[in-house]
């Protein structure tokens, strides 16, 4: 039975990551920047470039979960087209989006009893979510059934390792991730927090290195400690309007792991609202989640 993979605009990916794989449908999300409402994703009115320009001008951003009507608008045409749905959702640890999706799915299952709808809480975010979506597309291309893909995703999603460094602390403070005092002290001391997406899907600060070089080394050490290329050689580097640094990290990864498949992707507004410009992420299959 043919099935359509869907995800939400939190899943940050580059076009290069999707080339040669089955069609993916991305559900847009609402973002507020400087008091103005925008839509990010297909058909939206906010680009990544515009978003970071606004942040660099001093504007703060916030996000909201996908509303039920938006889910109906994207799920129902797929079902009417005679396809089943496999939806990879933004982590429930950072949003109520997963619960909203399941509410809509329960209704649609009654309306379309002949169709199958699977919703997976990826427990991943941003380029980490994009990473597992791309890998699911790889499995689909190889002929994996939707039921087997669900089992595969549930078995492996906690092996998607997310390691982020943040360049500016103002946006973490604004989002309530750190206190105003911590942000002020951290800025003076040039602290570049190392964060990760934990097993419960929440964002946590793991270390507080001083300077980008030390943060950079800590990221690489996490990959060196537990990379699992047998699961897949894809490595994703995400950046918040910091391509030069992303390219530097790519060169470092390739020099140590020349057979890795390194891709660079923008970190979009949904996570960028909390992390700000200059964020750098390293995503890989591994044991150091």
């Amino acid at each position: 039975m043919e099935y359509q993979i869907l995800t939400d605009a939190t899943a940050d990916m580059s076009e290069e990551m999707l080339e040669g794989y089955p069609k993916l449908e991305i559900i847009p999300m609402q973002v507020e920047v400087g008091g103005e409402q925008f839509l990010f994703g297909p058909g939206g009115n906010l680009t990544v470039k515009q978003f970071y320009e606004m942040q660099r001008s001093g504007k703060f951003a916030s996000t909201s979960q996908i509303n039920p009507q938006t889910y109906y608008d994207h799920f129902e045409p797929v079902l009417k087209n005679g396809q089943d749905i496999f939806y990879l959702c933004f982590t429930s640890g950072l949003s109520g989006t997963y619960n909203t999706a399941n509410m809509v799915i329960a209704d649609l299952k009654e309306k379309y009893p002949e169709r199958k709808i699977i919703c997976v809480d990826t427990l991943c975010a941003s380029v980490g979510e994009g990473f597992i979506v791309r890998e699911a597309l790889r499995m689909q291309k190889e002929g994996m059934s939707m039921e087997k893909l669900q089992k595969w995703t549930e078995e492996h999603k906690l092996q998607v390792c997310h390691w982020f460094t943040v360049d500016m602390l103002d946006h973490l403070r604004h989002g309530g991730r750190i206190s105003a005092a911590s942000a002020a002290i951290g800025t003076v001391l040039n602290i570049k927090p190392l964060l990760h997406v934990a097993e419960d899907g929440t964002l946590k600060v793991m270390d507080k290195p001083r300077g980008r070089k030390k943060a950079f080394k800590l990221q690489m050490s996490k990959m060196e400690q537990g990379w699992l290329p047998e699961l897949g050689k894809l490595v994703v580097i995400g950046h918040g309007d910091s391509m030069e640094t992303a390219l530097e990290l790519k060169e470092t990864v390739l020099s140590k792991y020349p057979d890795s498949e390194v891709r660079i992707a923008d970190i979009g507004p949904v996570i960028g609202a909390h992390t700000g410009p200059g964020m750098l992420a390293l995503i890989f299959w591994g044991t150091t989640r």
Side-chain angles (χ1 to χ4, degrees):
M1 183 74 70
E2 186 180 2
Y3 63 96
Q4 173 68 55
I5 294 180
L6 297 93
T7 191
D8 40 67
T10 320
D12 295 320
M13 291 169 280
S14 62
E15 290 184 10
E16 183 185 22
M17 288 171 65
L18 299 175
E19 287 177 1
Y21 291 97
K23 178 193 170 199
L24 172 70
E25 183 165 344
I26 300 172
I27 302 171
M29 298 183 75
Q30 295 286 337
V31 181
E32 182 185 288
V33 189
E36 291 184 72
Q37 289 290 337
F38 297 91
L39 188 67
F40 176 67
N45 60 350
L46 178 66
T47 67
V48 172
K49 182 180 179 182
Q50 289 169 335
F51 171 73
Y52 284 111
E53 284 176 351
M54 287 188 282
Q55 278 198 322
R56 289 187 185 280
S57 73
K59 294 180 179 178
F60 290 100
S62 61
T63 58
S64 55
Q65 65 187 56
I66 298 170
N67 64 54
Q69 188 58 52
T70 300
Y71 275 123
Y72 282 111
D73 291 344
H74 286 81
F75 286 165
E76 199 155 20
V78 176
L79 301 172
K80 285 182 176 178
N81 194 40
Q83 293 178 296
D84 294 330
I85 287 175
F86 189 84
Y87 174 49
L88 291 156
C89 184
F90 181 35
T91 170
S92 62
L94 293 174
S95 171
T97 295
Y98 176 68
N99 292 331
T100 304
N102 277 311
M103 179 185 72
V104 173
I105 287 169
D107 184 46
L108 289 172
K109 281 183 175 179
E110 290 186 9
K111 191 173 180 181
Y112 299 90
E114 73 283 6
R115 299 265 64 86
K116 294 179 181 177
I117 309 172
I118 292 173
C119 178
V120 175
D121 178 3
T122 64
L123 297 176
C124 296
S126 186
V127 281
E129 186 182 348
F131 178 99
I132 199 166
V133 169
R134 206 309 294 263
E135 293 293 76
L137 291 169
R138 176 167 66 92
M139 297 295 106
Q140 185 185 34
K141 184 179 180 179
E142 293 175 4
M144 185 176 285
S145 69
M146 191 165 74
E147 291 77 12
K148 287 184 178 178
L149 182 57
Q150 180 184 22
K151 184 174 184 292
W152 180 89
T153 307
E154 293 292 351
E155 286 177 351
H156 296 298
K157 65 186 183 182
L158 292 182
Q159 291 172 296
V160 180
C161 300
H162 310 57
W163 290 98
F164 302 81
T165 59
V166 176
D167 193 48
M168 299 172 63
L169 303 181
D170 290 347
H171 298 277
L172 284 174
R173 174 190 58 76
H174 185 262
R177 301 291 174 182
I178 60 174
S179 68
S182 294
I185 294 169
T187 300
V188 171
L189 297 178
N190 195 29
I191 288 173
K192 309 296 181 186
L194 180 71
L195 304 93
H196 79 142
V197 176
E199 290 193 350
D200 62 357
T202 59
L203 196 64
K204 294 185 178 178
V205 178
M206 295 301 292
D207 208 332
K208 298 177 181 178
R210 294 178 67 175
R212 184 177 281 280
K213 286 186 178 179
K214 287 183 179 179
F216 194 99
K217 287 181 180 179
L218 275 175
Q219 282 180 288
M220 278 303 302
S221 72
K222 297 299 181 182
M223 186 172 177
E224 291 162 7
Q225 289 166 25
W227 187 40
L228 292 175
E230 58 269 28
L231 284 181
K233 295 185 178 181
L234 177 66
V235 177
V236 178
I237 294 167
H239 70 98
D241 194 33
S242 186
M243 178 60 84
E244 184 177 337
T245 311
L247 288 169
E248 183 183 350
L249 182 55
K250 179 180 179 178
E251 288 178 10
T252 303
V253 172
L254 286 173
S255 67
K256 191 164 187 66
Y257 305 107
D259 60 341
S260 59
E261 178 195 343
V262 183
R263 297 289 181 261
I264 293 176
D266 292 316
I267 291 169
V270 181
I271 291 298
H274 303 286
T275 54
M279 178 184 175
L280 189 67
L282 180 61
I283 313 294
F284 53 90
W285 287 119
T287 62
T288 53
R289 170 91 181 208

